[in-house]
Amino acid sequence: MHGETRYGFIISLDAQGSGTTPDPDRPGLRARIYQVAEDAFDRAGISDARLAQEDRGDGILAVVEPRRTEALAGEWVEYLHQNLRQVNRELNRPLRLRAGLNVGPFTPDGQGFSGAAVDLACRIGNCPEAKAVLAAAPDSPLLVAVTEQLYRDVVRHGGRWIEPDHYRQYHVPLREGDQRPWFTVPGRTAPPPLPGREENAGPPEEDGPPEEDGPPEEDGPPEEDGPPEEDTGRRDGAGDDFRFGTVTHYGSGQVLQGKFGDLTFDRRRGDAGGSKGRA
């Protein structure tokens, strides 16, 4: 019904490098795009589930009922991949496609349909990053780009012909803001990374629960500084029970006083008294 917003699975399909296709070859290009896409819808059992579809010249924009999202993300993608491999055996210039997938609301009208979710599916499938990744895999006929939400809600859980580990996440700056879609190149364990960028090589690891901090340690009362220690003449290497007393001079004599354990002694030199000691 025109003007009534609905919810659907959005597919944006574009041909790689179609701008260099000569005009005489374009009808054949368009025919093959519809051939591989329609057959994939039929084989996945969702041909009658389409809510809307538009011709895009070198591609197709369609909305499918979201009742079987696993069939679209898994079976339809795999059948499309196998169909491309089949038709390319007879072509000197292989047909290569990029598919942008999203789920969200759309609003049909007399000329087609619109919505932010529709725009995002088109953007991630037609962005320079998607083109560069497929160009870096010259033997592959298909790249599939899914939004971060679709990956989180559908792809990461797996399913029939859905391999979450074969996806790689990319940073894609768009006019609507930065996005983090996931790309896969069917037939490869992971799409190639973009040169000069660090991308995630697989699905994100789920963080465990945060560790709880224990109660803070209470600081004890500050230690009070005692009176400054007097220099007793103690030297390194002396035992704890030995210390020198003061050394005094009387003329040419010298008085040495000290304590070792319980023994206190005076030793005087230079006078007639000699030395004294007491215990």
Side-chain angles (χ1 to χ4, degrees), residues 59-79:
I60 298 171
L61 181 60
V63 182
V64 183
E65 290 181 3
R67 63 190 183 193
R68 293 187 60 206
T69 54
E70 298 86 354
L72 281 160
E75 296 175 35
W76 181 81
V77 166
E78 182 56 29
Y79 286 132

Side-chain angles (χ1 to χ4, degrees), residues 170-184:
Y170 296 81
H171 172 254
V172 176
L174 300 176
R175 67 183 67 177
E176 296 88 353
D178 291 354
Q179 298 292 327
R180 297 280 292 171
W182 292 79
F183 297 169
T184 186

Side-chain angles (χ1 to χ4, degrees), residues 17-234:
S18 60
T20 60
T21 303
D23 282 351
D25 296 337
R26 288 180 182 269
L29 170 69
R30 285 171 47 80
R32 284 186 289 272
I33 292 174
Y34 275 91
Q35 174 188 343
V36 297
E38 292 293 339
D39 184 75
F41 281 124
D42 290 339
R43 295 174 69 183
I46 52 177
S47 182
D48 62 345
R50 273 173 288 182
L51 302 174
Q53 183 167 305
E54 290 182 10
D55 180 80
R56 302 301 292 263
D58 60 349
I60 298 171
L61 181 60
V63 182
V64 183
E65 290 181 3
R67 63 190 183 193
R68 293 187 60 206
T69 54
E70 298 86 354
L72 281 160
E75 296 175 35
W76 181 81
V77 166
E78 182 56 29
Y79 286 132
L80 181 64
H81 175 226
Q82 295 302 328
N83 289 346
L84 285 168
R85 294 183 61 195
Q86 180 66 35
V87 300
N88 284 341
R89 292 173 183 171
E90 303 171 0
L91 299 175
N92 294 326
R93 179 174 179 172
L95 173 62
R96 310 179 74 207
L97 299 178
R98 301 182 312 276
L101 309 183
N102 192 16
V103 290
F106 72 100
T107 304
D109 53 41
Q111 287 71 43
F113 51 92
S114 61
V118 177
D119 291 345
L120 185 56
C122 296
R123 298 272 196 273
I124 64 173
N126 200 39
C127 65
E129 289 78 8
K131 296 177 180 179
V133 169
L134 186 55
D139 296 332
S140 300
L142 178 64
L143 175 138
V144 178
V146 304
T147 60
E148 194 168 15
Q149 177 187 351
L150 181 57
Y151 182 91
R152 182 177 62 249
D153 295 345
V154 178
V155 174
R156 77 181 180 95
H157 299 289
R160 179 175 166 84
W161 298 339
I162 299 177
E163 300 289 347
D165 293 342
H166 293 182
Y167 282 74
R168 185 189 296 270
Q169 192 173 29
Y170 296 81
H171 172 254
V172 176
L174 300 176
R175 67 183 67 177
E176 296 88 353
D178 291 354
Q179 298 292 327
R180 297 280 292 171
W182 292 79
F183 297 169
T184 186
V185 176
R188 297 174 63 109
T189 56
L194 290 173
R197 294 196 189 181
E198 294 182 1
E199 312 287 351
N200 294 332
E205 296 183 0
E206 297 184 0
D207 296 331
E211 297 183 0
E212 296 183 359
D213 296 331
E217 297 182 1
E218 296 183 359
D219 296 333
E223 296 183 359
E224 297 183 0
D225 295 334
E229 296 182 358
E230 296 181 359
D231 185 7
T232 61
R234 183 172 177 175

